Amino acid sequence: MPYHHGNLREELLTAAMELARTSGPDAVVLRAATRSAGVSHNAAYRHFADRDSLLRAVCDRCMAQLANRMEDNLGRIEESGDAVADGWARLAAVGLAYIEFAQAEPGWFRTAYSVPDTHEPFGPGEGVGRSGRTPLGLLSDCLDQLCAVGGITVEKRHDAEYAAWCAVHGVSSLLVDGPLRAMPPADREVAVAKVLQVIGDGLAR
Amino acid sequence: MPYHHGNLREELLTAAMELARTSGPDAVVLRAATRSAGVSHNAAYRHFADRDSLLRAVCDRCMAQLANRMEDNLGRIEESGDAVADGWARLAAVGLAYIEFAQAEPGWFRTAYSVPDTHEPFGPGEGVGRSGRTPLGLLSDCLDQLCAVGGITVEKRHDAEYAAWCAVHGVSSLLVDGPLRAMPPADREVAVAKVLQVIGDGLAR
DNA sequence: TGTACATCAGTGAACGCGCGTTCACTGATGTAC
DNA sequence: TGTACATCAGTGAACGCGCGTTCACTGATGTAC
């Protein structure tokens, strides 16, 4: 191992992402990250002002992972020719991606929403996936499209992201951290389907 | 201060509730609770097996506080004579109570959902308010009544608590801890209203 | 082309913090006889 | 009614843990002349 590491900042972030993945935001710890990078613990201070700055950078990446998962699900959709049906399918794909991400990567999910109070929330260009859009941006896009093709009214479109986001966020939180965490997979599917169905009905009406 | 305290268990719980209220579940710390009760730190071990047992007991109380708030809101409703309208009003009251509680008592809200992994989830008779019902129980009651008077169909009633619970839990979490925590009050009301409206529409349809 | 020197990126020891938990103990209480 | 003694509810000192952070430092790099 040479004295100059070469890419320590990146390696610290990789290590910290692994900590977050396994054990959530509280496990994003300077000493553990440097340990895992094979470097003395205060080498980290060359690249991050303090522990919260490292955590903040990790939050960004976690949110980006969520965005990527949503984009993946969107990319897998086959157009049916029916613009309204496709619009609903896209919205469902985005919502399901959110819930699946939370369950598949609970540590990342929790961390994505753990920006320290001492730091600014995500600014433009932060927490974005490959397409450059945030999770919320991707959801907005779906709703815009659905509105454009007449799947939902303009009135319903207004602030609709709150309804959709809160519903999928709520079911994700309750399944991952909350009282539903012990729920068997079959029941989870029932709960998730009900949430998506009611939200869809509520927007359609 | 006499050697025998008399009611130390209760006083520790009161102190721990105050810690939770101010700073959330992580602040529920044995030494702080005993300090605040004016007692040596390991006196706590006469009343709680360990730190997690204390936290667990505090979680119960926080959930009970939430239930009480929901009951308060229900009690404030004036019957209109229209059973269906009253049913919807009760559902809205319960949902709003949940969201208001989260914003008014963020520490308690977070703690209510922080039962340690090492402990069993709430059993019967735990996390209940004055009426002996849990928050989820109160919600179920509302949905049952609404269904009984024909406000929602039997099919919609089925598993409807997931949809309602997840929606209010999601908006609460995002407003209290999440990216919406910086939202000004006026915008919060808009978001909350939208969530409740869409969920209501979705159940009604 | 060679070299002095500023700059950058690491090291290693140390400090202070607060926590949960354990140990051996002492003071107060209540009950059997 | 008095007293020995078990039991209960506290005390106080100590341990070990892992953390964030600071300090003075050393090794490597690159650039001006």
Side-chain angles (χ1 to χ4, degrees):
Chain A
M1 187 73 72
Y3 190 90
H4 279 88
H5 185 284
N7 205 11
L8 183 54
R9 186 191 154 87
E10 194 54 35
E11 190 154 333
L12 287 173
L13 277 172
T14 304
M17 278 297 279
E18 201 49 39
L19 295 168
R21 184 177 210 169
T22 309
S23 313
D26 291 349
V28 175
V29 144
L30 274 183
R31 296 178 96 114
T34 52
R35 227 178 282 135
S36 147
V39 109
S40 79
H41 51 265
N42 40 0
Y45 288 95
R46 291 286 152 199
H47 302 281
F48 299 94
D50 51 22
R51 187 252 169 182
D52 272 1
S53 296
L54 171 63
L55 175 57
R56 174 58 218 263
V58 171
C59 292
D60 262 9
R61 296 213 167 180
C62 290
M63 195 58 89
Q65 292 287 333
L66 170 56
N68 282 338
R69 181 130 187 168
M70 291 165 81
E71 291 174 19
D72 289 347
N73 265 24
L74 281 174
R76 231 175 270 123
I77 289 182
E78 312 175 356
E79 310 265 315
S80 75
D82 178 344
V84 171
D86 286 348
W88 285 111
R90 293 177 65 80
L91 185 62
V94 155
L96 253 185
Y98 194 102
I99 299 167
E100 286 167 0
F101 178 78
Q103 294 184 87
E105 299 292 354
W108 280 351
F109 176 70
R110 259 181 268 140
T111 307
Y113 285 100
S114 299
V115 173
D117 281 328
T118 53
H119 279 70
E120 294 294 309
F122 295 143
E126 292 185 306
V128 300
R130 286 180 292 275
S131 70
R133 304 243 66 197
T134 61
L136 183 56
L138 290 165
L139 169 61
S140 289
D141 294 348
C142 286
L143 291 166
D144 283 343
Q145 290 178 32
L146 200 48
C147 184
V149 301
I152 59 178
T153 66
V154 174
E155 192 206 356
K156 275 287 180 176
R157 168 67 191 86
H158 202 245
D159 290 329
E161 30 272 282
Y162 292 130
W165 187 14
C166 292
V168 295
H169 188 77
V171 70
S172 299
S173 298
L174 292 175
L175 284 171
V176 167
D177 285 323
L180 305 187
R181 66 186 171 209
M183 204 179 232
D187 294 346
R188 287 176 184 244
E189 276 181 38
V190 170
V192 166
K194 183 75 183 185
V195 169
L196 293 179
Q197 180 224 317
V198 171
I199 281 293
D201 287 353
L203 289 173
R205 178 172 123 131
Chain B
M1 186 74 72
Y3 191 91
H4 279 89
H5 185 284
N7 204 12
L8 185 52
R9 185 191 154 89
E10 194 54 34
E11 189 154 334
L12 288 173
L13 276 172
T14 303
M17 279 297 279
E18 202 48 39
L19 295 168
R21 184 176 210 169
T22 309
S23 313
D26 291 348
V28 176
V29 144
L30 275 182
R31 296 178 97 113
T34 52
R35 227 177 282 136
S36 147
V39 110
S40 79
H41 52 265
N42 40 0
Y45 288 95
R46 291 286 152 201
H47 303 279
F48 299 96
D50 51 23
R51 186 252 169 184
D52 272 0
S53 296
L54 171 63
L55 175 57
R56 175 55 219 264
V58 170
C59 292
D60 262 9
R61 297 212 166 180
C62 290
M63 195 57 89
Q65 292 286 335
L66 171 56
N68 282 338
R69 182 130 188 168
M70 291 166 80
E71 291 174 19
D72 288 346
N73 266 23
L74 281 174
R76 233 175 269 122
I77 288 183
E78 312 174 356
E79 311 265 316
S80 75
D82 178 344
V84 172
D86 286 349
W88 286 110
R90 294 176 65 81
L91 185 61
V94 154
L96 254 184
Y98 194 101
I99 298 168
E100 287 168 0
F101 178 77
Q103 294 184 85
E105 299 292 355
W108 281 351
F109 175 70
R110 259 181 267 139
T111 307
Y113 285 100
S114 299
V115 173
D117 281 329
T118 52
H119 279 70
E120 293 295 308
F122 296 142
E126 292 184 305
V128 301
R130 286 180 293 273
S131 70
R133 303 243 66 195
T134 61
L136 182 56
L138 291 165
L139 170 61
S140 289
D141 293 347
C142 285
L143 290 167
D144 282 344
Q145 289 177 33
L146 200 48
C147 184
V149 299
I152 58 178
T153 65
V154 174
E155 190 207 358
K156 276 285 179 175
R157 168 67 191 87
H158 201 245
D159 289 329
E161 31 271 283
Y162 291 130
W165 187 14
C166 292
V168 295
H169 187 79
V171 70
S172 299
S173 298
L174 292 175
L175 284 171
V176 168
D177 285 323
L180 304 186
R181 66 187 171 208
M183 204 179 233
D187 294 347
R188 287 176 183 243
E189 276 181 36
V190 170
V192 167
K194 184 75 183 184
V195 169
L196 293 179
Q197 181 224 316
V198 171
I199 281 294
D201 287 353
L203 290 174
R205 179 172 123 130

